[in-house]
């Protein structure tokens, strides 16, 4: 009897040992501060890293999860993962937590050069995971029937002071998801083929620089946040039934400067937002350059350049208190204008007329036809023959080098020169 019990106990211990991954055993034996260098092969099983170690892989090093949990869970400060392919997290949305390739629950983590695929979320920074650096990582979404059924590339919830640098995210639900995260630097990331490239809520004092949001249903959605800076980002080819390059909703004091909005259904959409500065941006070949709702106020628009959009700007819901110039500086509208004193400012104010906002307000199906030549003709006709719906009053429209006086002024100029010469000949 005793012998049978002993054999049973040994069998249980053996099975428990077999369920511990090889990487877990390496981590458990490592001293804090040491470096674990992995071979170019597959390491099966999930791992919890509960001490400050560095795990370095090489080409061909794969951490293969068992599709039941997080592949790597970090619970100690100052853990570093580098050069690893991490795949096979749990995919269930009914589990106690949404699972990820790497879930960080302690401060100071560094994730560098990771390839994450076949996971629900690629990277999840949660709770105590402040001050993480995620750099040069590649996250690829799972191919499922709908984007809503998969996770995000990088998810950040209730933790801040992170640095997300030069990562590439493709085919996930949202590229980057922020909720209650402040003090972050987001620079040089490329996000495409997602629902929202950036889904961002209740997060303040963050800086986005040099990121590319292209080919998504929505480029970047910023909601209920304050004091953000978005500079030199690109929002392009974001097309859908109600798509946008960048949306500002329920936010305040957002600084959007020197960004490029190219070929979006709507370049910039602003609703229930106050006190933002929109300056130095380029709006090129969008259906609508800027869609501004009347519940938004105290925005300043200056030195933006509008070129070949179906409508440069539309105002929806009636008039609102926004300013299209500041200190004698307006915007470039790419329309013929005189600048006889060559000071770079047109000699007459610019009144931009558009009925498209009214049309959208009456029937949202108008979005479906924004790229239609018929709608462009409707907009041009309104601008030429209707002067009742002035959307923009720019007192100081800017004139670039390419802007030239309209050709019909040339005969008048020649007549003026001839008249001057004739007068000089008659003068004794």
């Amino acid at each position: 009897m005793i012998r049978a019990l002993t054999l049973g106990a040994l069998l249980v211990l053996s099975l428990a040992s077999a369920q511990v991954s090889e990487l877990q055993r390496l981590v458990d034996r490592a001293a804090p501060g040491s470096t674990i260098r992995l071979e170019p092969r597959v390491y099966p099983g999930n791992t919890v890293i509960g001490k400050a170690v560095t795990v370095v892989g090489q080409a061909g090093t794969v951490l293969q999860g068992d599709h039941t949990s997080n592949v790597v869970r970090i619970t100690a400060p100052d853990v570093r993962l580098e050069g690893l392919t991490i795949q096979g997290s749990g995919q269930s949305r009914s589990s106690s937590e949404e699972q990820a390739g790497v879930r960080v629950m302690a401060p100071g983590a560094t994730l560098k050069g990771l390839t994450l695929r076949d996971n629900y979320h690629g990277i999840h920074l949660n709770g105590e995971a402040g001050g993480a650096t995620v750099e040069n990582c590649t996250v690829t979404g799972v191919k499922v029937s709908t984007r809503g059924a998969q996770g995000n590339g990088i998810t950040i919830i209730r933790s801040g002071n992170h640095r997300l640098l030069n990562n590439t995210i493709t085919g996930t639900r949202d590229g980057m998801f922020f909720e209650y995260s402040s003090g972050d630097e987001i620079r040089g990331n490329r996000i495409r083929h997602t629902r929202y490239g950036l889904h961002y809520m209740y997060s303040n004092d963050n800086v986005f620089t040099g990121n590319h949001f292209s080919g998504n249903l929505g480029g970047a959605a910023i909601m209920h946040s304050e004091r953000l800076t978005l500079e030199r980002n690109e929002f392009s080819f974001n097309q859908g039934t109600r798509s946008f390059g960048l949306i500002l909703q329920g936010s305040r004091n957002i600084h959007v400067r020197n960004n490029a909005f190219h070929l979006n259904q709507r370049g910039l959409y602003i609703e229930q937002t106050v006190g933002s500065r929109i300056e130095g941006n380029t709006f090129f070949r969008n259906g609508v350059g800027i869609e501004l709702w009347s519940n938004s106020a105290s925005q300043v628009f200056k030195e933006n350049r509008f070129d070949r959009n179906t409508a440069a700007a539309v105002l929806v819901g009636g008039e609102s208190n926004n300013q299209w110039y500041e200190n004698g500086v307006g915007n470039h509208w790419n329309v013929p204008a005189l600048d006889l004193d060559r000071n770079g400012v047109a000699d007459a104010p610019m009144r931009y007329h558009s009925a498209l906002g009214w049309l959208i307000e009456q029937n949202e199906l108008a979005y479906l036809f924004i790229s239609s030549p018929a709608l462009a003709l409707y907009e041009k006709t309104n601008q030429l023959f209707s002067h009742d719906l002035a959307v923009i009053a720019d007192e100081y429209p800017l004139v670039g080098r390419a802007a030239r006086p309209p050709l019909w002024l040339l005969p008048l100029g020649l007549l003026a020169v001839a008249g001057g010469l004739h007068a000089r000949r008659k003068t004794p």
Side-chain angles (χ1 to χ4, degrees):
M1 182 67 179
I2 294 175
R3 184 176 181 183
L5 289 173
T6 302
L7 288 174
L10 289 173
L11 179 60
V12 169
L13 288 173
S14 177
L15 289 173
S17 177
Q19 291 173 354
V20 176
S21 71
E22 180 181 358
L23 177 57
Q24 186 67 69
R25 290 195 293 272
L26 293 172
V27 169
D28 292 344
R29 289 199 297 263
S34 62
T35 297
I36 301 169
R37 299 188 182 281
L38 301 181
E39 300 174 359
R41 59 182 177 83
V42 176
Y43 289 78
N46 307 323
T47 302
V48 177
I49 301 178
K51 62 181 71 171
V53 296
T54 296
V55 180
V56 179
Q58 51 188 300
T61 302
V62 178
L63 307 187
Q64 176 64 56
D66 62 3
H67 292 97
T68 65
S69 184
N70 304 289
V71 182
V72 178
R73 177 191 294 265
I74 295 174
T75 61
D78 303 321
V79 171
R80 182 183 181 94
L81 304 181
E82 184 172 345
L84 304 164
T85 295
I86 300 174
Q87 60 190 32
S89 80
Q91 304 284 340
S92 174
R93 301 183 68 185
S94 59
S95 59
S96 59
E97 64 178 22
E98 293 183 344
Q99 291 151 354
V102 180
R103 189 180 190 90
V104 182
M105 305 180 70
T110 299
L111 312 177
K112 186 173 182 180
L114 305 181
T115 298
L116 298 119
R117 60 195 182 201
D118 191 25
N119 302 299
Y120 187 70
H121 296 305
I123 295 169
H124 198 300
L125 307 177
N126 182 268
E128 299 298 322
T133 297
V134 181
E135 184 174 4
N136 292 324
C137 293
T138 300
V139 184
T140 305
V142 179
K143 292 183 178 179
V144 294
S145 56
T146 61
R147 282 194 175 93
Q150 59 183 321
N152 306 314
I154 299 174
T155 296
I156 302 176
I157 296 179
R158 296 183 184 277
S159 68
N161 301 310
H162 302 299
R163 300 173 72 229
L164 309 183
L165 311 175
N166 304 315
N167 301 290
T168 301
I169 301 172
T170 307
T172 59
R173 179 174 59 194
D174 296 332
M176 295 187 290
F177 179 89
F178 288 71
E179 187 175 282
Y180 297 104
S181 179
S182 298
D184 302 315
E185 177 188 359
I186 302 95
R187 174 162 51 87
N189 301 285
R190 308 183 74 87
I191 303 175
R192 55 184 176 157
H193 305 315
T194 67
R195 182 181 64 172
Y196 297 158
L198 171 66
H199 193 172
Y200 186 94
M201 298 185 293
Y202 309 112
S203 302
N204 307 324
D205 303 302
N206 294 327
V207 178
F208 295 81
T209 307
N211 302 286
H212 297 259
F213 303 93
S214 61
N216 306 287
L217 292 181
I222 291 177
M223 296 176 280
H224 309 294
S225 301
E226 299 181 2
R227 301 181 302 276
L228 310 180
T229 298
L230 296 98
E231 185 171 15
R232 300 195 309 278
N233 302 287
E234 179 184 313
F235 306 90
S236 59
F237 299 102
N238 297 294
Q239 295 284 346
T241 54
R242 294 195 61 187
S243 190
F244 49 82
L246 170 64
I247 180 172
L248 304 179
Q249 188 174 55
S251 299
R252 63 175 61 232
N253 299 330
I254 311 297
H255 198 173
V256 181
R257 66 188 178 202
N258 300 331
N259 300 281
F261 296 86
H262 295 168
L263 293 149
N264 304 287
Q265 186 194 58
R266 295 172 291 179
L268 174 59
Y269 174 99
I270 304 176
E271 182 180 10
Q272 295 180 322
T273 293
V274 297
S276 297
R277 296 184 62 84
I278 316 297
E279 59 181 317
N281 304 286
T282 301
F283 296 88
F284 176 73
R285 285 195 181 280
N286 302 282
V288 174
I290 296 176
E291 181 173 324
L292 178 62
W293 283 69
S294 60
N295 53 18
S296 299
S298 302
Q299 265 70 234
V300 174
F301 300 87
K302 63 178 289 192
E303 296 184 276
N304 299 292
R305 184 178 293 275
F306 299 89
D307 190 8
R308 282 173 274 185
N309 304 284
T310 301
V314 299
L315 180 62
V316 183
E319 297 183 0
S320 61
N321 180 26
N322 296 287
Q323 191 170 327
W324 292 89
Y325 58 89
E326 184 183 55
N327 298 326
V329 179
N331 300 272
H332 298 268
W333 297 101
N334 196 32
V335 294
L338 284 176
D339 179 21
L340 296 178
D341 57 2
R342 294 186 174 274
N343 66 349
V345 179
D347 296 335
M350 205 284 295
R351 299 287 185 267
Y352 184 82
H353 299 269
S354 174
L356 187 55
W358 176 84
L359 194 63
I360 291 172
E361 188 178 349
Q362 297 300 311
N363 194 336
E364 291 190 353
L365 290 176
Y367 287 115
L368 299 175
F369 303 99
I370 279 182
S371 299
S372 165
L375 200 57
L377 180 61
Y378 170 82
E379 184 72 353
K380 286 293 183 186
T381 303
N382 173 75
Q383 291 171 2
L384 289 173
F385 299 107
S386 173
H387 299 284
D388 297 331
L389 297 171
V391 175
I392 296 165
D394 186 345
E395 300 296 328
Y396 304 95
L398 300 178
V399 178
R401 290 182 177 178
R404 298 174 180 172
L407 292 177
W408 60 267
L409 280 180
L410 183 59
L412 295 179
L414 293 175
L415 287 173
V417 172
L421 292 174
H422 179 70
R424 288 185 61 183
R425 285 181 180 178
K426 296 182 69 174
T427 302

